[in-house]
Amino acid sequence: MTVAAERLPLSGRSRSGARLVARIRHHALTAAALAALVFLLLPIAVVIAFSFNDPAGRFNFTWERFTLDNWANPFGFPDLQGSVVLSLEIAALSSLVATALGTLIALALARHRFRGRAATNLLIFLPMAAPEIVMGSSLLALFLNYSVPLGFTTILIAHIMFNISFVVVTVRARLAGQDMHLEEAAMDLFASPWATFLRVTLPLIAPGILAGGLLAFALSVDDFVITYLVSGSDQTFPLFVWGAARVAVPPQINVIGTIIFVAAVALMVANVLWQLRRTPKGAQ
Amino acid sequence: MSTSAANPGLRAQPRDDGSRPAPAVSDVRLERVTKRFDDVVAVDDLSLEIEHGSFFALLGPSGCGKTTTLRMIGGFEEPTAGTIFLGEQDVTGLPPYKRDVNTVFQSYALFPHLSIFENVAFGLRRRGAPRGEIGRRVGEALELVALGGLEKRKPRQLSGGQQQRVALARALVNRPRVLLLDEPLGALDLKLRKQMQLELKGIQNEVAVTFVHVTHDQEEAMTMADRIAVMNEGRVEQLGSPSELYERPRTAFVAGFLGVSNLLPGTVSGDAAVRLDGGGEVRVTPDALAGRTGRVALGIRPEKIRLGGDEANVLEGVVEERSYIGVATQYIVATPAGLVTVYSQNSEPSAAAAAVGSRMSLNWPPEATFVVDTTQEVPK
Ligand SMILES: Nc1ncnc2c1ncn2[C@@H]1O[C@H](COP(=O)(O)OP(=O)(O)O)[C@@H](O)[C@H]1O
Ligand SMILES: [Mg+2]
């Protein structure tokens, strides 16, 4: 390179021009990625920042001054606490039930041949593929037809229903990547089917189950459309925010939002760290 | 391989019938076993007896039903028909975890979440062996496969060859009646495979457990096994020692699967003679003929043919092709009976002379001849 440049000094400029283009190309990608990240993270940053705001009126839309009052008193708004508690209860129960059922369905689909397996495989995608508004209104029609009173139970049933699919897909992906012979090897080594499940299958798909459970929890906390349709007069946190927004947007909503966000990120990081620890160093 | 005295527990003694003369009951017996998958007949009315302490190979091309046979012995597949005995016990309906056999899987199937120690201890723990015994026996088993000191590693931290040994230790530590191996060396490179063939054979001698070894590699089967069942299309074509199968193949399929052979069509013309279709009579031994009459195919291994000499059987021909293959020179010779392949040892001075186009006199004794029904490998 240097030798050539000495011999042909005139070509030096065009070459450095090419280098510049290459550098721009190289960094253009980084810049685009950064812009996309900012685009994604900026709203979240605003939500977090405004949780420390002391708004002048009832709408927390313009920055006034910094305060910790909202954090000191996160439930200082009528009905906010009840909605958060309801959301957490529904999320915990529905993700628990959906994880258990979804794991069993995933095991059946991955390990057994039975009549209706192909149909089940297809139907399991339906709640993920169908528009929420369709799912929600169908459920509502079903509940009304059977005169099921709307409230906690119907919200729970709806959340379990749409959560199962996500758990099945997550756990099945984990099962698909696993050597079928591992379970046979366990049985070959005198493990009963139950011992095989406990000692081999379960530890190996545990990360998938955990991921499915977390996903289900997050989806449940987050859901609006279906919940709105089947909730009757009960209010989950998203319903509360939507209802409150017409008359007020208190900064406490930002506080709860921030807590949910931080908790989700913390769980994600914990999951990644756990995965890393399970993969010993020097692994090929 | 560790042959030290550090591992008496896995040595030949533990089975009470180990040192006595051949036991009356074989370790594995299949009686008219058939396995169908939908419309595929994987194993077809197969009967087999495997003697205690033998190194038994199931040899055959891909898809001939070897794995299925092994999996039925292990309990992973239920036969569609027939009975399976381990010793005197009918185990046909028993699940794998109630059978006194262990398997070395082709993929090794080591538990990725458990350490090497826990992998090997798995079977002992399930059977509720006391702690002290588990520690001792796992140590012995790892010594046996020369992997002492790696107890704390995880499977993925080991090389393919080491994983293979762990799989072997994990099975042998349970002192099963029968050890099943499904192409255990298939994933290893050639050099390691050759080395492991000898080590496996050594280990089998040391522990005196019956090994049932599935392979499609005839050389591997010949190197390791005492007895070989050559399988084809779900049936056993022939069962015997490696030398029996090589010297006296009973079908064209066996002759072709184990090494190279010349098969020349002819007609039985006496109680120890066959007239070749191209003319000329060949003398054979009466037991090679085994009572056959009519149309047969005559078999000669290429290395049993000598160039010149005064053997009972002589076939004249012209050299069509010559190729140098190191220890021998291979000739393809056109004779009235058909093309004949000949290996001539390069130690013999006469070999140097024969050029393409020159005449050659092929000589071989009656004992070097075998007879099969037809030249066709798969009779239809
Ligand atoms: N689980 C199965 N389902 C359907 N067909 C099978 C199954 N296992 C084996 N087969 C068929 O049975 C035949 C024998 O297979 P296998 O025992 O694996 O042969 P090998 O081990 O000798 O290669 C093959 O035709 C194969 O396709
Ligand atoms: Mg196979």
Side-chain angles (χ1 to χ4, degrees):
Chain A
M1 193 67 146
T2 30
V3 176
E6 274 163 25
R7 263 194 230 143
L8 298 163
L10 279 181
S11 69
R13 258 183 75 176
S14 73
R15 188 169 301 128
S16 72
R19 214 178 295 155
L20 187 69
V21 169
R23 191 170 296 169
I24 289 173
R25 262 200 212 135
H26 184 73
H27 291 289
L29 187 63
T30 317
L34 273 176
L37 259 180
V38 168
F39 183 75
L40 282 172
L41 295 178
L42 200 58
I44 296 173
V46 169
V47 165
I48 296 176
F50 273 72
S51 74
F52 296 102
N53 189 22
D54 186 6
R58 287 185 303 175
F59 290 87
N60 182 19
F61 288 160
T62 46
W63 183 262
E64 298 292 331
R65 71 188 77 79
F66 180 86
T67 175
L68 286 173
D69 289 355
N70 312 321
W71 281 87
N73 192 13
F75 294 121
F77 199 84
D79 295 340
L80 176 57
Q81 180 165 4
S83 72
V84 171
V85 170
L86 178 65
S87 263
L88 291 180
E89 280 173 359
I90 296 279
L93 272 175
S94 73
S95 57
L96 214 66
V97 176
T99 304
L101 292 177
T103 301
L104 295 178
I105 296 176
L107 279 167
L109 287 174
R111 289 289 182 267
H112 298 281
R113 287 182 170 196
F114 52 90
R115 274 175 70 123
R117 180 167 171 266
T120 313
N121 247 328
L122 202 70
L123 287 174
I124 220 68
F125 273 103
L126 219 55
M128 289 168 35
E132 278 201 66
I133 189 76
V134 175
M135 298 299 301
S137 44
S138 324
L139 264 176
L140 178 60
L142 185 78
F143 290 143
L144 293 179
N145 272 339
Y146 288 92
S147 331
V148 184
L150 299 181
F152 186 89
T153 318
T154 50
I155 302 176
L156 184 62
I157 291 174
H159 282 218
I160 290 173
M161 180 217 56
F162 69 69
N163 272 340
I164 282 182
S165 310
F166 291 93
V167 175
V168 170
V169 171
T170 325
V171 175
R172 198 174 49 178
R174 182 83 198 178
L175 276 166
Q178 193 185 304
D179 185 359
M180 288 268 282
H181 292 302
L182 289 177
E183 279 150 359
E184 290 187 346
M187 288 210 227
D188 187 68
L189 295 162
F190 318 116
S192 64
W194 181 238
T196 300
F197 179 73
L198 278 188
R199 311 233 167 233
V200 175
T201 315
L202 200 55
L204 288 174
I205 61 172
I209 296 177
L210 189 72
L214 288 178
L215 183 63
F217 191 93
L219 288 169
S220 171
V221 167
D222 181 60
D223 185 73
F224 181 82
V225 177
I226 296 179
T227 313
Y228 182 74
L229 286 162
V230 301
S231 61
S233 59
D234 282 2
Q235 276 195 330
T236 61
F237 180 62
L239 297 192
F240 168 82
V241 173
W242 188 80
R246 281 176 299 185
V247 289
V249 178
Q252 277 83 358
I253 287 179
N254 295 53
V255 173
I256 304 293
T258 304
I259 292 174
I260 292 175
F261 173 75
V262 170
V265 170
L267 278 173
M268 249 172 53
V269 169
N271 191 20
V272 168
L273 288 180
W274 185 52
Q275 292 285 319
L276 284 179
R277 243 196 43 192
R278 279 169 58 103
T279 316
K281 273 181 239 144
Q284 298 138 353
Chain B
M1 179 58 27
S2 147
T3 44
S4 70
N7 43 10
L10 277 165
R11 284 278 172 70
Q13 304 90 332
R15 290 215 90 85
D16 44 356
D17 50 351
S19 52
R20 288 186 209 142
V25 178
S26 48
D27 260 353
V28 182
R29 188 151 50 94
L30 305 188
E31 271 181 11
R32 310 206 54 179
V33 169
T34 297
K35 178 67 189 181
R36 251 179 245 113
F37 293 106
D38 304 323
D39 50 350
V40 181
V41 182
V43 174
D44 187 5
D45 197 14
L46 181 139
S47 296
L48 203 62
E49 270 193 55
I50 300 174
E51 234 174 75
H52 173 73
S54 60
F55 198 127
F56 191 95
L58 284 170
L59 172 68
S62 179
C64 72
K66 308 179 295 289
T67 296
T68 306
T69 306
L70 203 71
R71 288 174 60 82
M72 286 192 290
I73 300 173
F76 302 110
E77 305 280 359
E78 280 240 27
T80 313
T83 322
I84 297 171
F85 291 92
L86 288 177
E88 281 170 285
Q89 190 192 9
D90 177 354
V91 298
T92 314
L94 282 188
Y97 52 93
K98 291 191 178 153
R99 298 190 186 198
D100 191 12
V101 299
N102 289 109
T103 308
V104 175
F105 293 86
Q106 175 163 15
S107 59
Y108 312 144
L110 301 180
F111 305 124
H113 58 301
L114 298 180
S115 66
I116 300 307
F117 182 94
E118 285 304 325
N119 263 278
V120 177
F122 195 91
L124 296 175
R125 287 205 196 285
R126 299 289 83 68
R127 285 184 153 181
R131 275 176 151 267
E133 190 187 338
I134 291 176
R136 186 174 52 77
R137 280 172 67 175
V138 170
E140 282 168 14
L142 286 173
E143 283 299 320
L144 182 76
V145 297
L147 280 184
L150 296 184
E151 287 86 349
K152 291 208 177 69
R153 300 260 191 107
K154 287 284 180 71
R156 76 187 91 194
Q157 293 170 293
L158 302 188
S159 70
Q162 288 173 322
Q163 292 184 18
Q164 213 276 324
R165 289 156 193 258
V166 175
L168 189 63
R170 183 177 72 173
L172 277 176
V173 75
N174 304 296
R175 297 174 194 158
R177 178 186 274 279
V178 181
L179 184 76
L180 307 176
L181 306 106
D182 189 359
E183 313 233 2
L185 310 179
L188 305 180
D189 61 54
L190 186 68
K191 193 167 164 234
L192 199 53
R193 195 154 71 223
K194 295 274 174 219
Q195 181 194 338
M196 278 307 291
Q197 285 176 6
L198 297 177
E199 287 193 13
L200 257 183
K201 182 75 185 150
I203 289 174
Q204 197 261 342
N205 272 332
E206 201 166 333
V207 299
V209 168
T210 307
F211 277 34
V212 183
H213 180 110
V214 157
T215 177
H216 63 267
D217 180 344
Q218 54 103 4
E219 209 180 307
E220 184 171 302
M222 302 263 268
T223 311
M224 300 167 75
D226 314 322
R227 300 193 52 82
I228 302 176
V230 182
M231 286 187 67
N232 185 25
E233 298 189 331
R235 285 181 303 269
V236 172
E237 287 260 335
Q238 190 174 350
L239 197 157
S241 68
S243 63
E244 273 167 34
L245 293 176
Y246 189 79
E247 306 288 341
R248 284 270 176 279
R250 279 206 299 266
T251 68
F253 177 83
V254 175
F257 202 76
L258 284 97
V260 179
S261 59
N262 296 296
L263 291 180
L264 306 172
T267 312
V268 177
S269 58
D271 57 0
V274 173
R275 173 159 297 280
L276 294 177
D277 286 0
E281 192 157 79
V282 173
R283 305 219 50 86
V284 299
T285 57
D287 66 308
L289 215 46
R292 289 183 179 84
T293 55
R295 301 285 301 156
V296 292
L298 195 92
I300 319 134
R301 296 283 183 189
E303 74 281 4
K304 310 245 182 210
I305 298 173
R306 317 191 94 235
L307 306 180
D310 52 0
E311 300 291 356
N313 296 315
V314 181
L315 205 53
E316 299 287 336
V318 177
V319 177
E320 284 230 325
E321 257 180 69
R322 184 178 73 166
S323 42
Y324 179 77
I325 50 173
V327 291
T329 301
Q330 172 186 299
Y331 297 98
I332 310 279
V333 183
T335 73
L339 291 179
V340 174
T341 304
V342 181
Y343 295 155
S344 171
Q345 285 279 323
N346 284 337
S347 58
E348 291 174 26
S350 62
V356 171
S358 60
R359 291 199 66 78
M360 220 180 222
S361 167
L362 311 180
N363 280 245
W364 73 93
E367 311 82 66
T369 320
F370 60 85
V371 180
V372 297
D373 289 338
T374 141
T375 56
Q376 243 50 57
E377 292 210 346
V378 183
K380 288 282 164 197

